[in-house]
């Protein structure tokens, strides 16, 4: 389902719709979970694809025909897994999904109509679940002929492997600090004179602070490099909403500084670090960031 404002829809509207859908799913004795929720990976797209494939039932709200939602619905249909499509009465349904029985709810979320919608959706979830368990469920693609779907391979990163990777990162940073400390020692060929460069002012701006800055400046640089980890520890982590907002702003072409200001409470470096971990493609217009 959509979560961000667009057109005449507000983020608060989608929060209310999410509550309605969760009530219906609870009524069908199932546990509701947004498709982007998972602890398998830090990459939101990976979580979405994994859940779209593995969850036994999916409810998809195509109200407003949000492009991301339509793309995710297409993936779920391709996986040939049970899916229930819902939409508000203000949306004109697309031709390609016309063969799917879509459950409608009032765009104004009027109480009495919504209560009936919740009851109808709970019943449809239970009926479709029973059909899937008995083998009577017919996937969308089977309407157009026989297709073979290849299961995506499973991958798993063990806890020990994750810890080893983090230790390697820490070791690499400490090694850089140690090399810089040695190069800044009296009599070395680094900062304070001797062979090659001559004496340097400790406050001089240097092109490679890891190799040439004095130890106190190096520690400041190290702290700056780790601002993204500090932010996660300080704020409780990158929430799914923050990650979604970051991805949306990044795709809009916003610079890291602009994204940091819009998110609030996060630095430009933290945004750049998170974007890198998410695998977001760098933009030529953001080279300065």
């Amino acid at each position: 389902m959509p979560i961000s404002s667009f057109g005449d829809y507000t983020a608060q509207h989608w929060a209310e719709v999410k509550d309605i859908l969760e009530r219906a799913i609870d009524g069908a004795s199932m546990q509701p979970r947004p498709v982007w929720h998972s602890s398998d990976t830090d990459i939101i797209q990976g979580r979405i694809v994994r859940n779209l494939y593995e969850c036994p039932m999916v409810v998809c709200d195509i109200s407003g025909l949000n492009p991301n939602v339509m793309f995710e619905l297409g993936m779920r249909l391709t996986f040939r897994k049970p899916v229930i499509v819902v939409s508000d009465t203000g949306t004109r349904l697309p031709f390609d999904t016309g063969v799917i029985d879509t459950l409608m709810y009032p765009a104004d979320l009027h109480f009495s109509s919504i209560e009936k919608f919740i009851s109808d959706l709970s019943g449809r979830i239970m009926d479709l679940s029973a059909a899937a368990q008995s083998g009577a469920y017919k996937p969308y693609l089977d309407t157009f002929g026989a297709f073979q779907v290849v299961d995506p391979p499973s991958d798993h990163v063990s806890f020990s492997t994750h810890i080893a990777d983090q230790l390697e990162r820490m070791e690499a940073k400490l090694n850089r600090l140690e090399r810089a400390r040695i190069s800044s020692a009296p009599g070395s060929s680094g900062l304070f004179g001797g062979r090659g460069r001559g004496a340097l002012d400790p406050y001089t701006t240097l092109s490679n602070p890891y190799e040439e800055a004095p130890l106190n400046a190096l520690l400041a640089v190290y702290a700056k490099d780790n601002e993204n980890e500090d932010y996660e520890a300080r704020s409780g982590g990158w929430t799914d909403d923050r990650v979604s907002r970051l991805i949306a702003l990044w795709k809009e072409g916003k610079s890291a500084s602009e994204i940091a200001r819009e998110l609030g409470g996060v630095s430009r470096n933290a945004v750049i670090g998170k974007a890198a971990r998410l695998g977001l493609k760098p933009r030529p217009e953001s080279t300065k960031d």
Side-chain angles (χ1 to χ4, degrees):
M1 63 171 294
I3 57 174
S4 301
S5 60
F6 68 93
D8 295 331
Y9 299 98
T10 65
Q12 178 59 33
H13 172 83
W14 296 125
E16 294 175 6
V17 173
K18 179 173 177 289
D19 179 68
I20 291 168
L21 297 178
E22 288 179 342
R23 287 175 57 196
I25 295 170
D26 282 330
S29 300
M30 285 192 168
Q31 180 180 357
R33 182 175 69 181
V35 74
W36 56 87
H37 277 198
S38 176
S39 58
D40 292 346
T41 174
D42 193 39
I43 302 176
I44 188 171
Q45 291 90 343
R47 297 198 298 267
I48 290 174
V49 173
R50 183 72 64 189
N51 285 330
L52 284 172
Y53 181 78
E54 293 181 349
C55 286
M57 185 72 59
V58 165
V59 177
C60 181
D61 185 355
I62 63 172
S63 301
L65 304 183
N66 180 280
N68 290 331
V69 173
M70 300 304 293
F71 180 73
E72 292 158 13
L73 172 60
M75 282 194 288
R76 178 68 178 189
L77 294 175
T78 303
F79 292 148
R80 303 177 67 184
K81 301 292 186 71
V83 58
I84 296 174
V85 180
V86 303
S87 176
D88 65 22
T89 53
T91 298
R92 182 178 178 182
L93 301 181
F95 171 79
D96 289 336
T97 60
V99 297
I100 303 176
D101 188 13
T102 303
L103 194 60
M104 307 298 293
Y105 64 86
D108 60 3
L109 307 184
H110 189 272
F111 176 78
S112 60
S113 301
I114 286 298
E115 289 300 312
K116 183 180 184 304
F117 169 78
I118 291 174
S119 176
D120 291 344
L121 179 54
S122 295
R124 185 165 297 188
I125 292 173
M126 290 186 286
D127 291 344
L128 189 57
S129 178
Q133 292 176 9
S134 66
Y137 169 70
K138 184 177 181 180
Y140 171 84
L141 286 181
D142 288 2
T143 307
F144 309 100
F147 296 88
Q148 180 179 3
V149 179
V150 179
D151 292 349
S154 299
D155 54 3
H156 176 72
V157 177
S158 66
F159 179 75
S160 59
T161 300
H162 173 72
I163 292 299
D165 290 341
Q166 296 303 310
L167 289 175
E168 287 181 4
R169 291 177 57 193
M170 293 172 61
E171 182 181 13
K173 290 182 178 181
L174 290 173
N175 285 341
R176 289 199 298 270
L177 288 173
E178 179 63 16
R179 288 197 300 270
R181 185 189 67 79
I182 293 174
S183 68
S184 66
S188 70
S189 58
L191 264 179
F192 298 115
R195 302 177 295 276
R197 296 184 182 274
L200 292 178
D201 187 324
Y203 298 100
T204 300
T205 300
L206 302 171
S207 60
N208 191 338
Y210 276 127
E211 294 180 359
E212 299 184 72
L215 186 57
N216 58 344
L218 284 166
L219 292 175
V221 173
Y222 180 78
K224 189 69 174 177
D225 283 352
N226 286 277
E227 227 176 313
N228 54 330
E229 287 88 357
D230 293 341
Y231 163 72
E232 294 188 10
R234 186 171 64 252
S235 66
W238 283 92
T239 64
D240 292 313
D241 289 341
R242 275 182 173 269
V243 171
S244 299
R245 185 63 178 155
L246 185 152
I247 292 174
L249 293 172
W250 189 272
K251 291 180 178 179
E252 290 176 8
K254 299 282 189 181
S255 69
S257 298
E258 292 171 329
I259 295 173
R261 285 195 297 271
E262 292 206 26
L263 292 179
V266 54
S267 71
R268 165 181 160 275
N269 282 1
V271 170
I272 294 173
K274 189 64 176 178
R277 295 198 298 278
L278 290 172
L280 298 180
K281 186 177 180 180
R283 291 79 47 86
E285 63 269 23
S286 298
T287 303
K288 64 182 180 180
D289 280 326

